[in-house]
Amino acid sequence: METYYNPDDLKKFGNIADFQKKLGEKFFDYYGEVFKDSELTAREKSLIALAVAHAVQCPYCIDAYSSDAFEKGWSEGQMMEAVHVAAAIRGGASLVHGVQMMNKVKEIAM
Amino acid sequence: MKSLLAEHSKLAIAGEQIAILEHGQSGHFNLIPFQQKLEAAGLYPLQPTSLEVFQVNVGKMCNQVCRHCHVDAGPDRKEIMSKETMQLCLDALKNNPSLTTVDITGGAPEMNPHFRWFVEAIKKLERHIIVRCNLTIILANKKYNDLPEFYKEHQVEVVSSLPFYTQDRTDRQRGNGVFDDSIKALQMLNAIGYGLEETGLILNLVYNPAGAFLPPSQLALEKEYKTALSKQYGIAFNNLFAITNLPISRFLDYLLQSGNYEKYMEKLLIAYNPFAAANVMCRNTISVGWDGYLYDCDFNQMLDLKMAGSHNHIAHFNTEKLYNRNIIVGQHCYGCTAGAGSSCGGAVA
């Protein structure tokens, strides 16, 4: 079945530089640097990436960082907690706008 | 869980495994031949750089039945090295001083009734001895409880698998209760000085991925292991070896059963590293099978890829011929050249 998302396309991510070499290379240099061990370990960054992948709902990123986080030793429970963090922030982001709604209603209501 | 052999699996036959490695289960899976990768790196035919490590597989008998075992070892395996073959190994060592390290593996090597005699005899030849101890054997029976003292007496380097520093991942790969027993055994080894810097008694641990994925950075993982094991159990060790699972025997069976085989092989290919290829362990190692046949490595041994020629048995050990041989390679070799590479001593690049 043809779909917009093809798992095999993940392997072709590097090809984005084919259409714009300079920017593509700069992006991948930056990307590589971001995920290196530094003040946060590569392992910690992998779990953050997994949570962010869920927040931005990127199937390629979820595929890549589910494997990467598990490879780096995070347990299923820890990975699911990270996804809950993403879900809580996303849910909270909607809900906190409820204050704006309340403000507006209070402004116009008798 | 039983061995593939006891289950009459077709994967118990080396030729069946090689056929799958070459063409996949469907017969239509064709990965770039490993030989081509070596040719591109100017490494084919692959030849030894030295003969230093004499690895002896003293038998397939084991008290554990690990899901990833490339030996297909277990309590139901009866193939063990005879004392006569061990004597031939000792003769070869005596005549070849370049073989400075003897790496004893299995199975659980300690289950071979001549194991202690063999270690003592090697020590008399003044060689460095490594024993690949699965840890749980120390607690498996009273007669093994004094193994830590035996190792210490003969200054044996102990290399032990602990697939992870948590119970869940370890037991998934090695069986229920293995983690707890491994922790107890490590504490026994620590208690007599193993793994402590100032003693010179070396205790190295081995990490294997518990699934169809590659090991992470050995250095980063070693730090995590040291922190976690010290904090939770007061355990110390020297080094961690991160080893890639090779698609052989029970790990191959797992890959096929779980539908991961082709993806795993592609993963190994994508991660191919020519620097790792230049440093593969078969270039400085001779592997001796339980029946005395010689192989380029323990993996070739399990695939029954004997060295070619009349010098392929310990009874006809000939260093000159061994040094000038061409190492047999196949698709399984991608497991030793992925990422930072993999050997019995961990990463190689």
Side-chain angles (χ1 to χ4, degrees):
Chain A
M1 189 179 70
E2 200 173 355
T3 63
Y4 280 105
Y5 286 119
N6 181 349
D8 279 344
D9 285 348
L10 177 57
K11 292 176 205 157
K12 301 173 192 163
F13 187 20
N15 299 352
I16 62 147
D18 291 353
F19 278 19
Q20 225 301 350
K21 194 166 185 284
K22 190 175 161 192
L23 294 179
E25 285 177 354
K26 278 183 183 289
F27 172 80
F28 285 116
D29 284 349
Y30 166 76
Y31 193 99
E33 199 62 35
V34 163
F35 280 94
K36 280 184 182 166
D37 273 321
S38 187
E39 294 194 31
L40 290 174
T41 64
R43 182 170 183 263
E44 289 164 337
K45 288 173 184 178
S46 179
L47 193 66
I48 294 169
L50 179 72
V52 174
H54 282 79
V56 298
Q57 292 175 298
C58 166
Y60 300 117
C61 314
I62 292 170
D63 185 337
Y65 284 96
S66 295
S67 301
D68 191 66
F70 196 72
E71 284 176 21
K72 288 190 164 62
W74 296 108
S75 69
E76 288 96 324
Q78 289 168 321
M79 288 165 65
M80 187 54 85
E81 281 192 21
V83 173
H84 276 289
V85 171
I89 293 294
R90 277 193 71 123
S94 292
L95 209 52
V96 72
H97 286 80
V99 177
Q100 195 181 348
M101 176 271 284
M102 288 165 74
N103 289 343
K104 190 67 191 175
V105 170
K106 283 175 189 169
E107 183 187 314
I108 60 170
M110 290 182 82
Chain B
M1 190 171 160
K2 289 180 181 173
S3 67
L4 294 171
L5 186 70
E7 284 180 346
H8 306 292
S9 164
K10 67 175 187 175
L11 288 181
I13 301 160
E16 292 284 346
Q17 294 187 54
I18 291 170
I20 290 170
L21 285 163
E22 284 178 357
H23 303 295
Q25 207 167 18
S26 62
H28 305 296
F29 177 67
N30 293 311
L31 211 60
I32 298 168
F34 184 75
Q35 181 181 323
Q36 276 183 26
K37 288 286 188 183
L38 289 184
E39 282 167 350
L43 289 168
Y44 190 82
L46 191 66
Q47 291 189 315
T49 49
S50 60
L51 297 178
E52 291 167 34
V53 182
F54 189 75
Q55 189 173 59
V56 189
N57 192 313
V58 296
K60 298 186 179 185
M61 190 181 284
C62 191
N63 59 316
Q64 291 184 184
V65 191
C66 301
R67 289 182 68 193
H68 72 300
C69 183
H70 70 279
V71 179
D72 193 28
D76 57 58
R77 298 303 298 262
K78 307 299 176 204
E79 304 93 325
I80 52 165
M81 185 175 275
S82 67
K83 200 170 179 179
E84 290 71 27
T85 305
M86 285 179 172
Q87 185 57 57
L88 292 172
C89 291
L90 294 169
D91 295 344
L93 283 168
K94 197 175 173 182
N95 297 330
N96 296 284
S98 74
L99 298 164
T100 51
T101 297
V102 183
D103 184 344
I104 306 175
T105 185
E110 300 91 340
M111 291 179 83
N112 184 309
H114 314 298
F115 169 75
R116 295 193 193 213
W117 170 82
F118 191 43
V119 169
E120 284 163 0
I122 299 165
K123 202 66 211 171
K124 281 180 194 155
L125 296 174
E126 298 179 338
R127 303 305 160 89
H128 177 64
I129 304 173
I130 297 171
V131 172
R132 296 193 180 261
C133 169
N134 70 16
L135 296 174
T136 62
I137 191 70
I138 294 172
L139 295 149
N141 188 300
K142 271 186 185 170
K143 66 180 175 182
Y144 300 124
N145 289 171
D146 67 338
L147 278 169
E149 283 81 10
F150 176 78
Y151 293 143
K152 182 178 179 176
E153 189 188 338
H154 297 91
Q155 298 284 298
V156 168
E157 175 184 333
V158 177
V159 176
S160 296
S161 274
L162 187 70
F164 210 56
Y165 51 78
T166 60
Q167 179 175 2
D168 172 55
R169 280 207 193 188
T170 299
D171 286 359
R172 253 191 251 185
Q173 186 184 93
R174 295 174 81 77
N176 288 337
V178 166
F179 183 76
D180 285 345
D181 282 351
S182 299
I183 292 297
K184 284 178 203 157
L186 286 171
Q187 287 167 336
M188 287 167 75
L189 287 161
N190 275 175
I192 59 164
Y194 265 100
L196 310 179
E197 294 293 341
E198 66 274 17
T199 62
L201 296 169
I202 304 296
L203 170 61
N204 293 325
L205 297 184
V206 172
Y207 161 90
N208 289 102
F213 54 93
L214 303 183
S217 150
Q218 181 170 282
L219 201 62
L221 200 60
E222 183 181 282
K223 254 189 229 172
E224 288 162 29
Y225 261 68
K226 286 196 169 173
T227 306
L229 290 176
S230 166
K231 195 174 156 189
Q232 293 175 49
Y233 308 104
I235 288 170
F237 66 95
N238 297 96
N239 295 111
L240 181 78
F241 301 153
I243 296 185
T244 303
N245 289 316
L246 262 72
I248 295 172
S249 281
R250 288 212 282 273
F251 189 66
L252 176 60
D253 184 51
Y254 156 76
L255 290 173
L256 294 169
Q257 302 275 354
S258 63
N260 276 304
Y261 174 71
E262 294 186 5
K263 277 183 268 182
Y264 187 74
M265 293 304 287
E266 282 169 357
K267 197 177 270 203
L268 294 178
L269 171 68
I270 290 166
Y272 170 78
N273 177 355
F275 296 105
N279 294 314
V280 280
M281 65 177 174
C282 51
R283 302 192 83 183
N284 73 348
T285 301
I286 296 293
S287 166
V288 190
W290 67 274
D291 52 2
Y293 279 98
L294 303 179
Y295 303 84
D296 300 303
C297 68
D298 204 45
F299 302 115
N300 278 6
Q301 184 180 142
M302 298 315 146
L303 291 172
D304 200 22
L305 296 169
K306 292 182 179 75
M307 287 179 188
S310 58
H311 57 283
N312 72 353
H313 193 273
I314 191 69
H316 312 291
F317 198 85
N318 181 321
T319 24
E320 200 188 326
K321 283 185 177 170
L322 291 172
Y323 187 71
N324 291 307
R325 79 193 193 276
N326 291 338
I327 293 166
I328 300 171
V329 297
Q331 298 302 76
H332 59 293
C333 302
Y334 277 117
C336 287
T337 58
S342 181
S343 72
C344 288
V348 296

